[in-house]
Amino acid sequence: MRPHVILNAAMTLDGKIATATGSSNISGEEDLKRVHEIRKDCDGIMVGIGTVLADDPRLTVHKIDANPCDNPVRVVVDSKCRTPVDARITNADTRTIIACANAYKDDFISSERYEEFKRRGVRFFWSGDERVDLTSLMSYLHEEGIEKLMLEGGATLNFSMIKAGLIDEISICIAPMVVGGADAKTFFDGEGFDTMDESVKLELVDSYPLGKDLILKYNVLR
């Protein structure tokens, strides 16, 4: 058993989610509110360590009317235990779970950083060797009561999740802009598939304009 996973992102027309310098302010105001409606409807929200280090996000519901109880559980995939203790995802707004790989466990749990995380109420999940076992993480999150999970990952985590068959829906905002750049971040990254036949197939279930943007919703086909 695992959560129902919704991957949400905003990208430019040429498929970039950030420029080579890390600029990622793509969504219009209407889309930002849409994103927070999804957050409010989910039990958990998951990002990778790259997002935490680059953006220091709150991962709470704050662009729309909401109560503290509407905040989803925050989940960070951080194989090498690099999350800063003072990152905003460690505050008391809601629960936080950091998933790390077993290779880094012994050194980390004997550190002062680990003790500070515990004082802040942050919980840790350990799986895999050098990298977090995402399938095990999904099972753990389901056991923790997370039935619907919003994924706001970076390109590498997005690909790892979809390659493992762990994404059920994709909700994408396409902004009317082109940035180019061979080093700009794309929606999916990672090692990729070798052939088009191996690619993950999708079914378009909804599309509509939202302000200046275009929203596309897909189901992931099995």
Side-chain angles (χ1 to χ4, degrees), residues 3-221:
H4 181 90
V5 178
I6 303 170
L7 169 58
N8 182 80
M11 71 179 186
T12 62
L13 183 61
D14 53 336
K16 309 298 186 181
I17 60 174
T19 67
T21 62
S23 176
S24 60
N25 52 327
I26 296 173
S27 293
E29 189 63 31
E30 297 92 338
D31 183 58
L32 291 175
K33 292 179 180 178
R34 179 191 68 87
V35 170
H36 283 254
E37 291 286 357
I38 299 175
R39 287 186 182 184
K40 187 176 180 179
D41 189 49
C42 288
D43 307 303
I45 179 171
M46 187 169 82
V47 298
I49 181 58
T51 298
V52 173
L53 295 177
D55 302 333
D56 193 20
R58 283 182 281 177
L59 302 184
T60 57
V61 183
H62 55 269
K63 295 288 186 183
I64 58 174
D65 290 336
N67 298 312
C69 62
D70 294 320
N71 289 327
V73 176
R74 299 172 294 202
V75 182
V76 180
V77 179
D78 177 14
S79 293
K80 298 180 180 180
C81 311
R82 294 187 293 156
T83 300
V85 173
D86 60 352
R88 292 200 291 180
I89 55 95
T90 70
N91 64 27
D93 288 344
T94 185
R95 289 195 295 142
T96 299
I97 298 169
I98 301 179
C100 304
N102 285 313
Y104 307 93
K105 182 176 182 179
D106 291 344
D107 288 342
F108 181 67
I109 63 176
S110 62
S111 69
E112 178 58 32
R113 286 180 62 233
Y114 179 65
E115 295 302 320
E116 180 59 29
F117 276 118
K118 289 200 299 183
R119 285 192 285 270
R120 291 172 180 248
V122 176
R123 297 173 60 183
F124 285 83
F125 172 76
W126 304 90
S127 69
D129 185 12
E130 298 287 337
R131 298 178 63 182
V132 171
D133 184 321
L134 294 172
T135 300
S136 296
L137 174 59
M138 291 301 105
S139 296
Y140 170 75
L141 295 180
H142 187 269
E143 293 172 1
E144 288 293 302
I146 298 176
E147 296 184 0
K148 185 182 290 187
L149 177 69
M150 182 180 187
L151 172 61
E152 289 192 17
T156 301
L157 179 58
N158 289 347
F159 183 77
S160 296
M161 286 286 289
I162 203 164
K163 182 181 180 181
L166 299 174
I167 296 176
D168 301 288
E169 299 179 35
I170 296 176
S171 181
I172 183 75
C173 167
I174 300 178
M177 58 179 76
V178 172
V179 296
D183 294 326
K185 290 293 185 180
T186 57
F187 188 20
F188 290 94
D189 200 340
E191 67 271 26
F193 295 110
D194 291 331
T195 67
M196 291 298 177
D197 288 341
E198 295 175 274
S199 65
V200 175
K201 307 304 188 293
L202 310 174
E203 176 189 19
L204 181 65
V205 294
D206 197 9
S207 63
Y208 57 91
L210 184 62
K212 295 181 180 180
D213 301 325
L214 174 65
I215 308 300
L216 301 176
K217 293 185 177 182
Y218 295 89
N219 286 336
V220 178
L221 301 178

